[in-house]
Amino acid sequence: MKAVVSGLRERKRRQTRDRLTEAGMTLFLAQGFEATTLDQIAAAADISRRSFFHHFASKEDLVFAWQDSFCLALLDALVLRPADERPIDAAINALIAAVGDFDRDQAEALTRFVEETPALRDREQVKYALMEQALAEALGQRPGATADSLEIRLVAMVVIGAMRIAGENWRRAGDRARPDIYVRRVFDTLRAAVAEES
Amino acid sequence: MKAVVSGLRERKRRQTRDRLTEAGMTLFLAQGFEATTLDQIAAAADISRRSFFHHFASKEDLVFAWQDSFCLALLDALVLRPADERPIDAAINALIAAVGDFDRDQAEALTRFVEETPALRDREQVKYALMEQALAEALGQRPGATADSLEIRLVAMVVIGAMRIAGENWRRAGDRARPDIYVRRVFDTLRAAVAEES
DNA sequence: TTGCAAATATGCACCAGGTGCATATTTAGG
DNA sequence: CCTAAATATGCACCTGGTGCATATTTGCAA
């Protein structure tokens, strides 16, 4: 049985992990991503350079830890959707729920930072692909769904893609409309654009 | 005026470029991507290691040169579409035209190779993002289009995404149905999945 | 043909991220 | 308290990629 109260081991692990992300982000924001070396980060977090890689597989991963948590939130929100919802609606509603729970100021700052760093922009695309895959799997495991169907993969693709573009748009516009409204508007536009010509 | 017949300069450049891709791909297929070093490639192409970077910005780019040409074909096909077609239809039809012109056996072999090499899988996502952006710009420059509209970006996202998934599916299924049929089937499924519930 | 400017190729030093491996150090739990 | 597993560290090493100064080649005009 796993300890209910996390043991000292796991606690310490989390601690150093957090120390790393904080030290890293501080340095990144101060001097830029590329200009910050792993040695600096390790030193600031009071850890050996080698041990860094016991917590993160790469320098980039330090930045994208948060996106993982958003992905998890999305999947959690998905299982709360009623079983009779179609995949697309379940996914959209889960997205709306997940996006509502997040610290938008922080997310925006981080995203702006990512945007202006080529290496991170690249890595972001990879993350989106992973999110899409995770969403597709989750949709495939819903009650009554056929795992790995074409429809499910297309829905995952569209939802993650729309999320990405909605985010860009939201940031660019600068207005702070409620994100759920934004998401809905994007999907309405999408439906209209894709629909068979009447 | 640029010379109609490419000068010696450009011809030589292309030659070495081709020598590099060929040497690279041969080595990659023989020993794998990661296991092949730039020194080996440069040696095989009879060029200095440093000069490699005058032709390709990175080792990965060596593999993805072909995808650029596909992207160009897609954009070329797009300008041939009638001006009164909606963005989505113009893009789909351009995609069908472009995909029909390509050496599918080679594309498949290459894609399989990319799939089983993590570094290349990552890079592929970046390429898709670039294609999406290029397509969006091209759609924005069509006669009578509003550049940079939300609709256009969504259409580009959906078309490139559907292309990607259609490709995966086509490869996985193993049947060799005509690609245009495949593409249409995917878009039909997509429309049905996204459409407002009746 | 010659001479000159631009493009291209090369060599070299150097940086930094990432890995393998052997070795300490710490924690869990009987 | 003692042992096995997890974690941390140090170190050597590889390789992709860049900056820079220098040669070599090509285009073109006088």
Side-chain angles (χ1 to χ4, degrees), chain B residues 164-183:
Chain B
R164 169 167 50 88
I165 290 182
E168 286 170 16
N169 231 35
W170 183 76
R171 231 169 300 123
R172 190 177 314 194
D175 67 348
R176 288 296 171 268
R178 283 170 47 206
D180 56 324
I181 296 183
Y182 237 90
V183 171

Side-chain angles (χ1 to χ4, degrees), chain A residues 78-136:
Chain A
L78 185 67
V79 302
L80 295 182
R81 302 305 311 169
D84 62 337
E85 250 179 353
R86 298 180 327 163
I88 183 73
D89 297 312
I92 293 178
N93 288 323
L95 175 61
I96 289 173
V99 89
D101 285 345
F102 264 72
D103 181 336
R104 291 196 277 287
D105 289 332
Q106 187 185 342
E108 191 197 352
L110 205 48
T111 314
R112 279 200 198 284
F113 172 62
V114 167
E115 259 176 4
E116 62 199 20
T117 310
L120 295 179
R121 274 210 314 263
D122 287 4
R123 182 77 189 180
E124 199 182 17
Q125 299 307 320
V126 176
K127 278 283 175 185
Y128 283 132
L130 290 176
M131 285 183 69
E132 182 183 316
Q133 201 181 329
L135 177 57

Side-chain angles (χ1 to χ4, degrees), chain B residues 88-106:
Chain B
I88 183 74
D89 297 313
I92 293 177
N93 287 323
L95 175 61
I96 289 173
V99 88
D101 285 346
F102 263 71
D103 182 336
R104 292 194 278 287
D105 289 333
Q106 186 185 342

Side-chain angles (χ1 to χ4, degrees), chain B residues 7-9 12 36-38 49-50 53 58-59:
Chain B
L8 177 57
R9 209 158 218 152
K12 267 207 167 178
T36 305
T37 74
L38 282 181
R49 181 183 134 78
R50 188 64 184 83
F53 293 100
S58 72
K59 199 175 154 191

Side-chain angles (χ1 to χ4, degrees), chain B residues 73-83 85 90 93-94 97 101 142:
Chain B
L74 177 63
L75 300 187
D76 283 351
L78 184 67
V79 302
L80 295 181
R81 302 305 311 169
E85 252 179 350
N93 287 323
D101 285 346
R142 296 185 80 216

Side-chain angles (χ1 to χ4, degrees), chain A residues 125-169:
Chain A
Q125 299 307 320
V126 176
K127 278 283 175 185
Y128 283 132
L130 290 176
M131 285 183 69
E132 182 183 316
Q133 201 181 329
L135 177 57
E137 276 170 30
L139 283 172
Q141 281 168 1
R142 297 184 80 216
T146 317
D148 204 48
S149 74
L150 176 58
E151 181 197 0
I152 279 178
R153 266 181 290 150
L154 286 171
V155 166
M157 179 275 286
V158 156
V159 169
I160 299 297
M163 176 193 78
R164 169 168 49 88
I165 290 183
E168 286 171 16
N169 231 36

Side-chain angles (χ1 to χ4, degrees), chain B residues 42-96:
Chain B
D46 203 46
I47 207 181
S48 83
R49 181 183 134 78
R50 188 64 184 83
S51 299
F52 172 90
F53 293 100
H54 288 145
H55 297 269
F56 296 94
S58 72
K59 199 175 154 191
E60 284 88 5
D61 279 3
L62 204 51
V63 179
F64 286 103
W66 68 279
Q67 234 177 24
D68 287 337
S69 70
F70 176 80
C71 187
L72 291 183
L74 177 63
L75 300 187
D76 283 351
L78 184 67
V79 302
L80 295 181
R81 302 305 311 169
D84 62 336
E85 252 179 350
R86 300 156 56 214
I88 183 74
D89 297 313
I92 293 177
N93 287 323
L95 175 61
I96 289 173

